[in-house]
């Protein structure tokens, strides 16, 4: 059971989303104005947010950017809702830090499934494992990453994607496989979402340098693991 904050000014849509989420066992709260979100999230951070893009007051993209900019709220998973279906709009939302982007009209059952997928991937898969790679230190139990001793705040999806690359060092990974294993479903917006998240990882971790390379027209490859990489026995993602 998760506490989910629904930020949607269309009451009919908000009530529909609430009904399906509560039927799935979640606890929900609805906010209809963008101006009320910041105070509410600071007061009681939700486990996940469903955030409409077009809101009165402050729009959803601005809210998403602000949430990702604050260390206290940066890791809250965000699923954006929008009537804007253009690829450029989806990419922009993902670049700002959204974990998923759902276009209207949408299937409520599919939205519930996407919530479950985002939640599942926001949780650490292993306990107590410490991974080191090129100056990075990844604490899988605490879900935090340090670069040269300084903590770098990642979204849930960024963390899981980085961890997945580390588990598969030296292997060429297709965009389709990354979508399947990290996102957990065939993302309807296409494989560009993988490129967006890789670009964000490269920006946040310059120390990766050329270690994370692009394989033309296929996917990505992280250079073979260094000797100090530690992986717990049995740690894996389902392929």
């Amino acid at each position: 059971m998760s506490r989910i904050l629904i930020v949607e000014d269309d009451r009919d849509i908000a009530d529909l989303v609430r009904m399906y989420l509560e039927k799935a066992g979640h606890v929900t709260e609805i906010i209809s104005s963008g101006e009320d979100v910041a105070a509410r999230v600071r007061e009681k951070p939700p486990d996940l947010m469903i955030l409409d893009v077009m809101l009165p007051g402050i729009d959803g993209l601005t809210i998403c950017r602000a949430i990702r900019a604050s260390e206290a709220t940066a890791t809250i998973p965000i699923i954006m809702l929008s009537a804007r279906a253009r690829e450029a709009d989806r990419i922009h939302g993902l670049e700002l830090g959204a974990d998923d982007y759902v276009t209207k009209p949408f299937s409520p059952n599919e939205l519930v499934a996407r919530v479950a997928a985002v939640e599942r991937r926001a949780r650490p898969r292993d306990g107590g494992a410490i991974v080191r790679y090129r100056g990075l230190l990844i604490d899988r139990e605490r879900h935090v990453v340090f670069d040269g001793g300084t903590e770098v705040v990642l979204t849930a999806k960024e963390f899981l994607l980085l961890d997945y690359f580390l588990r598969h060092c030296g292997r060429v990974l297709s965009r389709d496989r990354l979508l399947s294993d990290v996102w957990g479903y065939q993302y309807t917006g296409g494989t560009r979402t993988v490129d967006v998240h890789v670009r964000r990882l490269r920006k946040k971790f310059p120390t990766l340098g050329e270690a994370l390379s692009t394989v033309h027209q296929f996917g990505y490859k992280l250079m073979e693991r260094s000797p100090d990489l530690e992986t717990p026995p049995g740690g894996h993602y389902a392929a």
Side-chain angles (χ1 to χ4, degrees), residues 94 98-101 113-122 155-162 164-165 174-198 200-201 220 237-238:
L94 293 168
D99 295 278
D100 201 351
Y101 190 103
R114 291 191 180 213
V115 166
V118 169
E119 286 183 316
R120 189 163 56 248
R121 280 147 189 84
T155 67
K157 198 69 69 190
E158 289 168 352
F159 181 92
L160 291 168
L161 182 59
L162 175 62
Y164 191 86
F165 279 127
S174 71
R175 291 175 175 85
D176 287 333
R177 176 167 181 176
L178 291 167
L179 278 176
S180 174
D181 290 2
V182 178
W183 274 257
Y185 55 87
Q186 191 64 36
Y187 182 72
T188 58
T191 56
R192 284 287 301 279
T193 186
V194 176
D195 300 331
V196 169
H197 282 76
V198 168
R200 281 158 44 182
L201 285 179
Y220 298 95
Y237 282 78

Side-chain angles (χ1 to χ4, degrees), residues 74-93:
T75 60
I76 296 174
I78 297 174
I79 297 177
M80 282 191 165
L81 293 180
S82 177
R84 298 175 178 175
R86 294 186 312 161
E87 182 183 41
D89 292 320
R90 295 194 298 268
I91 294 299
H92 186 45

Side-chain angles (χ1 to χ4, degrees), residues 71 182 203 209 223:
E71 185 174 346
V182 178
K203 183 177 181 180
M223 186 178 296

Side-chain angles (χ1 to χ4, degrees), residues 92-144:
H92 186 45
L94 293 168
E95 286 179 332
L96 290 178
D99 295 278
D100 201 351
Y101 190 103
V102 177
T103 57
K104 301 175 182 178
F106 58 89
S107 161
N109 285 322
E110 181 184 355
L111 179 60
V112 171
R114 291 191 180 213
V115 166
V118 169
E119 286 183 316
R120 189 163 56 248
R121 280 147 189 84
R123 301 187 187 105
R125 298 296 296 269
D126 303 301
I130 301 296
V131 178
R132 297 182 179 87
Y133 183 89
R134 290 193 165 213
L136 305 184
L137 186 148
I138 298 89
D139 186 331
R140 287 174 174 149
E141 182 176 16
R142 296 172 55 207
H143 238 222
V144 294

